[in-house]
Amino acid sequence: MHKKRLVSLIAVASVTALILAGCSSGSDSASDGGVPKVDMMKELGAGEGQVNVVAWAGYVENGSTDPNVDWVSGFEKETGCKVNVKNGATSDDMVALMKTGEYDVVSASGDASLRLIYGGDVAPVNTDLIPNYADIFENLKMQQWNSVDGVAYGIPHGRGANLLAYRTDIVKPAPTSWASVFDVNSPYKGKITAYDSPIYIADAALYLMETNPELGITYPYALDQTQFDAAVEVLKAQKPLIGEYWGDYLKHVASLKSGGTVLGTTWQVNINLAKGEGSKVEGIKPVEGSTGWSDTWMVGSKAKNPNCAYMWMNHIASPAANAGVAEWFGEAPSNAKSCDLTADKNHCATFHAADDAYWADVYYWNTATEACLDGRTDVKCVPYAEWVKAWSSLRNS
Amino acid sequence: MLNSLSNYFHKKQRLRLVALLTTPVLWLVVAYLGALAMLLVTAFFTIDNFTGNVIQEFNLGNFQDMLTDAAYKNVVLRTLGIAISVTFLCSVLAIPMAFYMAKIARPHSQKILVALVLTPLWASYLVKIYAWRTMLEPGSGVLDWLLAPIGIHSPGFGGPAIIIGLSYLWLPYMILPIYAGLERLPNNLLDASGDLGAHNFYTFRKVILPLIFPSLVAGSMFTFSLSLGDYITAQIIGGKLQMLGNVVYQNFSINLPFAATIAMIPVSIMALYLYLVRRTGALASM
């Protein structure tokens, strides 16, 4: 190829790119700090025939994983809205998926919900159109992660703690503390796992709250530079112990089953799946407490199927569906009436659905911001974007 | 109607050329070079720290982050090492196989051998890598079970596993060009070399290797570039090891501009590689 022609080709390409860039420049940026104005739905119309859902694995089950676990088929028949689900592996995944505008509704954890609200990716939710909203536990409504300035941005879904999973036949004695996954002399070196997301830095911070009180960490999502660096150091020291970091829950379950992983952070649903496949796995909430999640169903600002999205949110908040998810995923339901409908009558007691004391040491995922979330004003905290960089650096070193 | 249309185009040569070339040129410029240019432009953008929305302002921060953090230097070197090892392993395996197929096997079995080399390409990439996961699984995997009696253990998940997996995946892309090159190589050259007293290895070094060098380069472009951009194999059998592709995958959802910056690395490496290949003259004789 002649040089001149190559140059002209590149010129044409860059002009094209500039035009494309000009076309796509977004107007809903919220860098000025406010919430972008997105209209709330006024009244419910007829269903559009389908709804595209971004959810955590285990939140939308139509019987294909386990024939007895199905709260989707009935909804599809009743409303005519076919449910298309896309599982997100991490909150970052979910934020990215919602930014595409191709999804109508999302089950966002606290470390995604505010980003979505301030990014203009989700719309305020008209709770009057969700009859089941009335039965949601009052102390889950209008919280810092699901509302802004008294405007609701979603329907509380349920909450749970990240657990410490261990193989009962291999890990002896049974662990009681997160120290077991950070101990550099662990006998299970190479068979420990950790969650593959920047949010896992909070797990190290939580551990430091107990083991290194001089650092003065009171809330694992509000870390000043010194505290943050200490948490990252803990994770660097932990890295040689790790066999695999997990993001894909199916691979994680397979590892627990094969014994490639014997110890590490997990969700209750993974333990249920591994147990279902005959694996000797248990999960505990360690003595230090745990990170966890309180999820919210939110509707996309560019939803193409808003009516079906509202119908879905109402359905998933209904006592029967909410009980189904809570029990399958292993979390506390958000609907007070769910507790009468769980197959295991003790489910709500086991998962402390209404037991506020239990949640005192569970720190729900949150998005770290420069303004410290624990109320300190004398220091700047490390914002989530820096968490992402630190995590990427740690994983690639 | 078709007939009159074809008559019309027959008369108007220039129009014919335009009609013929518009689609491929559009494809090349918009979809291919355009995407590459977008990548380059995006690499200079930044994101809103809180919402993750892309801010379209010229900014060199991504490049600064990439160059100052030693982790990214490591991941580049690691990825390069893996890509080179895979290419080397593929050539070492492919040359004898291709030689047997082209020169020793009978014409009838030649076709069967080519078909056999191609069969792995019929199965899905994921199926093959998950199969390797089962085989490499330390303790309970097939490799451990097979090799334990002779005292060898599975390498487990990590760098060696990635090299094995990728070599397995890309081997056909190396065998086929070399096979094609060897097929064009006249047998009498080998005979002549032998008649003049050259040993087999000497013939290989002085006659075969120079003549199949362009094929080797063609094959290496596949194995090298495919390895350079891969991330799924590392995800499934790489343990906690990450390659360049994983960095892009890890960042594209949270920090698209940074992912674009990282993605420029394999593009530059490939450009440099092609430039070096061009200087050897292998491209001209391909």
Side-chain angles (χ1 to χ4, degrees):
Chain A
M1 186 183 282
H2 296 292
K3 270 194 183 140
K4 264 189 189 163
R5 226 163 64 200
L6 184 69
V7 169
S8 55
L9 263 180
I10 292 173
V12 171
S14 38
V15 168
T16 319
L18 283 177
I19 294 167
L20 285 175
C23 294
S24 67
S25 78
S27 55
D28 50 1
S29 159
S31 44
D32 53 341
V35 181
K37 186 153 172 38
V38 181
D39 289 332
M40 188 191 282
M41 196 180 209
K42 296 285 183 304
E43 57 190 275
L44 204 59
E48 293 88 352
Q50 63 164 354
V51 57
N52 298 316
V53 184
V54 175
W56 291 106
Y59 275 17
V60 183
E61 291 290 335
N62 61 6
S64 55
T65 311
D66 181 331
N68 298 320
V69 179
D70 180 2
W71 50 87
V72 171
S73 308
F75 167 78
E76 289 181 331
K77 255 186 224 134
E78 196 183 303
T79 61
C81 300
K82 192 182 172 318
V83 178
N84 307 313
V85 63
K86 169 88 185 158
N87 286 336
T90 62
S91 288
D92 301 321
D93 269 4
M94 292 189 168
V95 172
L97 287 170
M98 286 312 286
K99 279 191 192 302
T100 65
E102 283 164 29
Y103 297 90
D104 304 309
V105 61
V106 58
S107 66
S109 295
D111 58 332
S113 54
L114 284 182
R115 276 191 270 165
L116 290 169
I117 295 172
Y118 283 92
D121 303 309
V122 290
V125 171
N126 188 343
T127 51
D128 295 342
L129 300 179
I130 314 270
N132 287 317
Y133 189 69
D135 300 326
I136 305 279
F137 284 115
E138 282 305 320
N139 61 1
L140 289 176
K141 288 180 186 171
M142 305 303 279
Q143 293 298 314
Q144 179 221 346
W145 59 85
N146 58 25
S147 68
V148 170
D149 300 334
V151 180
Y153 272 83
I155 309 298
H157 166 83
R159 51 185 167 173
N162 291 316
L163 301 179
L164 175 59
Y166 66 100
R167 279 281 296 256
T168 50
D169 52 340
I170 298 170
V171 181
K172 283 171 186 161
T176 56
S177 153
W178 287 115
S180 58
V181 301
F182 293 115
D183 174 13
V184 288
N185 299 315
S186 170
Y188 310 107
K189 185 174 177 174
K191 296 192 166 186
I192 293 175
T193 194
Y195 185 51
D196 194 359
S197 161
I199 205 73
Y200 188 66
I201 295 172
D203 286 57
L206 176 82
Y207 172 65
L208 285 175
M209 279 168 69
E210 197 78 15
T211 55
N212 197 347
E214 299 96 81
L215 281 168
I217 302 174
T218 56
Y219 184 61
Y221 307 97
L223 305 173
D224 61 38
Q225 197 65 48
T226 324
Q227 297 166 338
F228 183 77
D229 292 345
V232 171
E233 276 312 312
V234 168
L235 295 175
K236 275 187 188 155
Q238 186 202 29
K239 199 176 177 192
L241 304 175
I242 302 284
E244 286 183 291
Y245 291 89
W246 72 271
D248 174 353
Y249 76 106
L250 288 173
K251 206 179 83 183
H252 171 58
V253 170
S255 259
L256 278 173
K257 215 179 110 189
S258 74
T261 292
V262 299
L263 192 65
T265 183
T266 196
W267 303 328
Q268 183 71 45
V269 66
N270 297 331
I271 292 175
N272 295 352
L273 285 169
K275 271 187 180 167
E277 292 174 27
S279 191
K280 294 191 179 69
V281 184
E282 270 315 327
I284 53 151
K285 187 181 116 185
V287 290
E288 294 92 352
S290 189
T291 55
W293 67 89
S294 180
D295 292 349
T296 308
W297 286 100
M298 308 180 111
V299 62
S301 55
K302 301 177 209 78
K304 292 183 190 73
N305 310 295
N307 294 314
C308 272
Y310 266 75
M311 290 179 204
W312 169 257
M313 288 200 291
N314 186 47
H315 171 73
I316 199 71
S318 69
N322 194 241
V325 184
E327 212 160 12
W328 173 247
F329 196 88
E331 61 186 354
S334 59
N335 190 315
K337 290 185 180 160
S338 304
C339 293
D340 303 329
L341 295 175
T342 51
D344 172 5
K345 290 300 163 208
N346 288 323
H347 182 83
C348 278
T350 315
F351 285 90
H352 312 270
D355 175 7
D356 288 344
Y358 175 84
W359 300 105
D361 65 352
V362 174
Y363 298 89
Y364 306 128
W365 282 343
N366 208 337
T367 309
T369 56
E370 208 160 73
C372 293
L373 296 168
D374 59 358
R376 282 182 292 168
T377 49
D378 52 335
V379 283
K380 271 190 178 170
C381 277
V382 179
Y384 188 69
E386 293 299 321
W387 289 42
V388 173
K389 279 183 193 162
W391 184 254
S392 175
S393 175
L394 173 90
R395 289 285 281 109
N396 292 300
S397 59
Chain B
M1 208 204 78
L2 265 179
N3 229 340
S4 58
L5 197 70
S6 104
N7 278 338
Y8 177 77
F9 273 121
H10 186 72
K11 280 175 219 144
K12 310 245 172 174
Q13 285 213 0
R14 191 163 274 275
L15 193 67
R16 189 174 66 192
L17 202 66
V18 169
L20 201 65
L21 287 181
T22 310
T23 323
V25 167
L26 261 182
W27 170 256
L28 184 73
V29 172
V30 177
Y32 195 78
L33 290 174
L36 212 58
M38 278 297 281
L39 192 71
L40 186 65
V41 172
T42 310
F44 292 98
F45 291 159
T46 180
I47 56 161
D48 183 287
N49 265 353
F50 183 40
T51 61
N53 285 341
V54 174
I55 299 172
Q56 296 176 341
E57 277 167 19
F58 182 82
N59 178 304
L60 286 172
N62 293 325
F63 287 91
Q64 199 185 342
D65 283 345
M66 181 178 82
L67 295 173
T68 49
D69 194 331
Y72 298 114
K73 194 181 77 194
N74 291 342
V75 79
V76 170
L77 292 178
R78 187 185 307 139
T79 309
L80 263 180
I82 289 173
I84 292 170
S85 312
V86 168
T87 305
F88 178 74
L89 200 61
C90 280
S91 345
V92 168
L93 292 172
I95 293 174
M97 276 175 87
F99 188 80
Y100 181 85
M101 282 162 64
K103 295 294 172 203
I104 301 172
R106 277 175 302 180
H108 176 66
S109 42
Q110 247 177 39
K111 282 174 201 142
I112 297 175
L113 284 172
V114 171
L116 281 179
V117 165
L118 288 174
T119 40
L121 299 180
W122 298 354
S124 150
Y125 174 115
L126 281 177
V127 171
K128 289 183 278 186
I129 284 302
Y130 270 108
W132 273 105
R133 190 179 161 89
T134 327
M135 287 197 274
L136 289 163
E137 185 91 54
S140 57
V142 179
L143 273 190
D144 257 2
W145 169 77
L146 207 64
L147 299 176
I150 52 169
I152 304 175
H153 288 286
S154 157
F157 302 133
I162 297 180
I163 294 174
I164 294 173
L166 288 176
S167 302
Y168 168 78
L169 284 176
W170 312 141
L171 189 60
Y173 298 103
M174 185 61 106
I175 294 181
L176 289 180
I178 297 183
Y179 167 74
L182 280 168
E183 235 191 355
R184 275 181 308 196
L185 185 100
N187 280 340
N188 51 21
L189 286 184
L190 305 182
D191 294 338
S193 173
D195 289 347
L196 291 169
H199 293 296
N200 285 345
F201 183 70
Y202 197 74
T203 307
F204 172 73
R205 212 158 54 86
K206 288 289 180 184
V207 180
I208 301 178
L209 207 54
L211 285 171
I212 61 163
F213 184 68
S215 319
L216 204 59
V217 168
S220 78
M221 280 191 319
F222 289 122
T223 56
F224 188 73
S225 66
L226 288 171
S227 307
L228 213 55
D230 194 85
Y231 69 99
I232 300 172
T233 298
Q235 240 172 23
I236 297 173
I237 57 174
K240 60 189 165 184
L241 210 77
Q242 299 223 114
M243 294 174 68
L244 272 173
N246 301 93
V247 188
V248 175
Y249 178 80
Q250 199 176 32
N251 281 285
F252 92 96
S253 62
I254 322 174
N255 191 342
L256 188 70
F258 187 67
T261 313
I262 295 282
M264 293 311 295
I265 301 174
V267 173
S268 330
I269 294 176
M270 257 344 265
L272 185 73
Y273 185 70
L274 287 177
Y275 172 75
L276 291 177
V277 163
R278 209 184 90 141
R279 289 202 37 177
T280 64
L283 283 181
S285 49
M286 215 174 261

